[in-house]
Amino acid sequence: MSQEKVIIEKPLQQFVVQALQLEGDSLVKVIKQALDCVDTFVFSELLECPNVIALETTLHAPYLHALRVFSQGTYLDYLDKKEYLPELSEPQKKKLQYLTIVTLANKMKRIPYGVLSKELDVDNVRDLEDLIIEAIYSNVISGNLDQQSDCLEVDWTVGRDVGSIDIDPMIDTLQQWCDSCENVLSTVQARIVDANQTKQDALKHRAAVINQVVNMKKGIRNRMQDEEMTVDISGPTKKSAKGIKFTRAKFWNK
């Protein structure tokens, strides 16, 4: 089962602190640094900074929009709005492609090469596999390339920012999990009742067997006593004549 790897975003905190104090070009520079940083994959705190939100009504608005794409979007989202967004550096492009793999992994744990090729805008299989391997070595994802099936098997990924459109599916998933837990709990409780009943039945049966054994022992003991009494009553009652000497009487004729 795949899982999401939790990463403490310490570098992001530095960018947030700077963003709270800067405006204009200086703030744009901080945004670029955040997008370039190899250890930063979530951007919600930066997007919530008042100074960053204020870029919406300035000439620097494209950098705010780019930051939103990195927060919750994909590489295809960037390509669709490329003319309204700043040009990405090579590290930024790769990071957005990595994050796109993360988004795909949240929908499927075995991602076909065809899907990856389309979403990452990479036509060559060798280049696609190299990009995936780079993402693995960058600790953005963990998984294996199944070259026989032409797919990526994902074990875990880094986390991404949660958007408003993700909340309802998350609620549904959690509700399904709760329902499954309730079903398991009901099954376990039913098994406990059955087990207790089985135990009670076993105890009753054991008591009955013990009582039967006791009664059988009493019966056997009583029969043995009766047999001994019968032997005593039917035996000889006269004293034995053994050892008594008799003498013959003599009669004389006169």
Side-chain angles (χ1 to χ4, degrees), residues 72-137:
Q72 302 173 14
T74 65
Y75 187 61
L76 283 186
D77 293 333
Y78 170 79
L79 293 180
D80 290 341
K81 303 174 182 178
K82 186 176 181 179
E83 57 182 314
Y84 306 107
L85 299 173
E87 188 73 23
L88 297 181
S89 64
E90 189 61 26
Q92 291 171 354
K93 175 184 175 181
K94 285 191 175 182
K95 177 189 276 192
L96 187 53
Q97 288 174 320
Y98 297 164
L99 293 175
T100 300
I101 298 176
V102 172
T103 296
L104 293 173
N106 289 330
K107 300 176 181 177
M108 60 186 81
K109 303 313 174 186
R110 288 175 57 88
I111 313 174
Y113 278 6
V115 174
L116 289 166
S117 179
K118 178 182 178 181
E119 294 289 333
L120 302 178
D121 193 36
V122 178
D123 296 330
N124 186 281
V125 174
R126 177 61 183 274
D127 292 341
L128 176 63
E129 291 181 339
D130 287 345
L131 181 62
I132 295 171
I133 292 172
E134 290 175 3
I136 293 174
Y137 277 106

Side-chain angles (χ1 to χ4, degrees), residues 135-175:
I136 293 174
Y137 277 106
S138 298
N139 288 323
V140 178
I141 64 171
S142 175
N144 299 294
L145 293 175
D146 186 346
Q147 295 178 321
Q148 292 184 343
S149 301
D150 288 337
C151 69
L152 167 65
E153 295 183 355
V154 181
D155 296 327
W156 57 256
T157 71
V158 297
R160 294 199 69 181
D161 292 322
V162 178
S164 56
I165 61 174
D166 299 321
I167 294 177
D168 287 340
M170 289 177 65
I171 292 175
D172 292 339
T173 300
L174 290 173
Q175 186 60 54

Side-chain angles (χ1 to χ4, degrees), residues 10 27 50 67 100 113 121 199 246:
K10 291 183 179 180
L27 181 56
L67 188 59
T100 300
Y113 278 6
D121 193 36
K199 179 182 178 182
F246 294 93

Side-chain angles (χ1 to χ4, degrees), residues 187-203:
T187 301
V188 171
Q189 289 175 337
R191 293 291 178 84
I192 291 174
V193 172
D194 292 340
N196 288 335
Q197 185 61 50
T198 301
K199 179 182 178 182
Q200 293 299 322
D201 293 342
L203 291 175

